[in-house]
Amino acid sequence: MAVLNEEQEMLRDMAREWTVNESPVTEFRKVRASGEPEAFNRDAYATMAQMGWAGVIIPEEHGGSDFGFLSAGLVVEELGKTLTASPLVMNTVAASAIVLGGSDEQKARWLPRLASGEAIATLAVDEGPSHDPAKIETSVSDGKLSGTKAFVHEAHGADLFVVAAKDGLYLVEKGDGVALTTRKLTDQRSHADVTFDGAAAEKLANGGDSLLDDVLDRARVLTAAEMLGMAQQVFDDTLDYLKQRVQFNQVLASFQALQHRIADLFADLAQMRSAVEAGLQAVDAGFGVARAATIAKAEANRVMHTMANEGIQLHGGIGMTDEYDVGFYLKRARVLEQSFGSSSWLKDRFSKLSGY
């Protein structure tokens, strides 16, 4: 596990206490039942912003705390444990794009609003059914951006879109020239195809040619952090279930075959945590980010996929019912596994990064 300083421990503990007491899975059930396209509670997100979570990676001069990505990951992990529906991950990723590539004017205009929760931003990159940032057809002419982005996370609540075009990243505000088509995915969160038709756009001119890759790597490590929290919770819930469920007059946890499966999951979870925390720390250090982020997301995909499947199987048939929460984690996992790189895409990227 990563060695945390006192401020990071306090941040993690605050996030853990808040999610357990104020945002358990029952709150996600309420969001799901509401059927609202935004698919998150704005009052809850306002509280997160008041606690400083929306500004963890934003510099102090723009209203943030500049605690870094490891600190942001600690918060996101706790949110993942209770499936808290919020735009925090995408807002943080979009803010990082402005931090890395924005002008002083763009930073001054947007970062304080994103840190305070006054505005929400998201990232729009992919244009097809799978993640492939090499295939971007969105273009800009005379400051007007046109193109369609697929499966944009948290699009319904976004005031600002960070959009990938052929020649770089652009800031596009919601409004004229921006249209959303809701996509219903299995996790019951906010997803949409976003069509930009001559929308006013401002380029993020700093950050160099690697800006898109740098931003996507940050999306990968934060998504992996959410998956880490989910995997930890599925493991804990499944172990608790095995300890109290009686079958053939014996507690299930007493069966050696099931003990072996739990032991394997425990080892997988430890490996996942190591990879995810290494990815977050690499971003903060600015060294080996691409490789570390690729490993973090690939390992998160592998372990979360297995953990969700095993969680359902070890619960038995009842794990498939809506009464138990474990099924929600599997549904969210399937969406996140494909976000910002499937396992096969990430393996291919790692091989290219390694010179093969």
Side-chain angles (χ1 to χ4, degrees):
M1 294 180 63
V3 178
L4 307 180
N5 60 36
E6 184 177 352
E7 289 178 330
Q8 289 170 328
E9 290 180 349
M10 290 176 62
L11 181 64
R12 179 202 59 197
D13 293 344
M14 177 175 64
R16 183 173 296 169
E17 181 179 358
W18 185 84
T19 54
V20 170
N21 295 326
E22 305 298 331
S23 187
V25 179
T26 52
E27 292 301 308
F28 168 73
R29 288 178 178 271
K30 292 177 183 177
V31 169
R32 182 189 64 158
S34 73
E36 293 293 330
E38 286 188 350
F40 73 94
N41 185 320
R42 280 195 173 266
D43 291 338
Y45 186 68
T47 300
M48 294 182 206
Q50 290 171 5
M51 291 187 289
W53 299 353
V56 171
I57 62 96
I58 293 175
E60 292 183 27
E61 60 264 33
H62 295 299
S65 59
D66 201 16
F67 276 4
F69 270 80
L70 178 58
S71 297
L74 295 173
V75 173
V76 170
E77 179 185 345
E78 297 303 323
L79 297 177
K81 289 180 180 179
T82 60
L83 295 174
T84 297
S86 86
L88 184 67
V89 169
M90 296 315 304
N91 188 75
T92 301
V93 172
S96 75
I98 299 174
V99 171
L100 293 171
S103 65
D104 290 342
E105 189 276 332
Q106 289 169 331
K107 292 176 182 178
R109 177 152 48 100
W110 284 109
L111 292 180
R113 296 176 64 191
L114 298 181
S116 68
E118 176 188 348
I120 295 170
T122 191
L123 182 66
V125 176
D126 293 316
E127 299 181 1
S130 59
H131 177 67
D132 192 349
K135 296 180 179 179
I136 293 177
E137 297 299 327
T138 297
S139 60
V140 181
S141 178
D142 296 327
K144 303 293 184 181
L145 183 144
S146 297
T148 299
K149 296 299 182 179
F151 302 104
V152 178
H153 296 284
E154 313 301 341
H156 296 89
D159 304 292
L160 178 70
F161 296 87
V162 177
V163 186
K166 289 181 178 180
D167 62 335
L169 290 178
Y170 287 81
L171 300 181
V172 179
E173 294 187 54
K174 73 174 182 181
D176 294 342
V178 181
L180 274 61
T181 302
T182 300
R183 298 298 297 263
K184 288 287 187 181
L185 301 186
T186 187
D187 62 348
Q188 300 294 305
R189 295 283 293 273
S190 169
H191 305 281
D193 289 350
V194 184
T195 300
F196 301 95
D197 186 8
E202 292 183 10
K203 188 173 185 178
L204 295 175
N206 300 321
D209 294 338
S210 67
L211 180 59
L212 175 57
D213 285 336
D214 293 341
V215 173
L216 286 172
D217 282 332
R218 283 152 177 78
R220 290 176 188 119
V221 295
L222 282 184
T223 301
E226 180 180 351
M227 297 171 78
L228 175 60
M230 293 165 56
Q232 182 68 63
Q233 193 62 46
V234 172
F235 178 85
D236 292 343
D237 289 349
T238 302
L239 182 57
D240 288 344
Y241 180 79
L242 293 180
K243 287 179 178 179
Q244 57 88 22
R245 179 76 168 101
V246 176
Q247 193 72 282
F248 307 115
N249 295 319
Q250 293 188 62
V251 176
L252 287 181
S254 66
F255 290 100
Q256 191 175 53
L258 300 185
Q259 292 173 2
H260 288 170
R261 290 170 71 173
I262 285 291
D264 287 341
L265 293 177
F266 181 82
D268 279 344
L269 188 59
Q271 190 165 331
M272 178 184 183
R273 179 172 296 281
S274 178
V276 172
E277 291 180 347
L280 293 165
Q281 290 175 314
V283 173
D284 288 336
F287 179 78
V289 177
R291 289 169 62 94
T294 302
I295 293 171
K297 181 59 167 53
E299 190 65 2
N301 283 359
R302 180 187 73 82
V303 176
M304 187 66 238
H305 188 93
T306 301
M307 190 72 72
N309 286 353
E310 289 288 287
I312 294 290
Q313 291 181 16
L314 290 170
H315 273 78
I318 202 168
M320 297 295 293
T321 67
D322 196 71
E323 178 184 353
Y324 277 69
D325 296 336
V326 66
F328 296 150
Y329 291 88
L330 182 144
K331 293 173 182 178
R332 178 64 172 164
R334 292 300 179 263
V335 173
L336 294 183
E337 285 169 29
Q338 300 303 316
S339 300
F340 311 115
S342 65
S343 294
S344 59
W345 188 91
L346 292 163
K347 290 175 183 177
D348 182 67
R349 185 190 191 219
F350 185 81
S351 68
K352 291 176 180 176
L353 289 170
S354 302
Y356 295 106

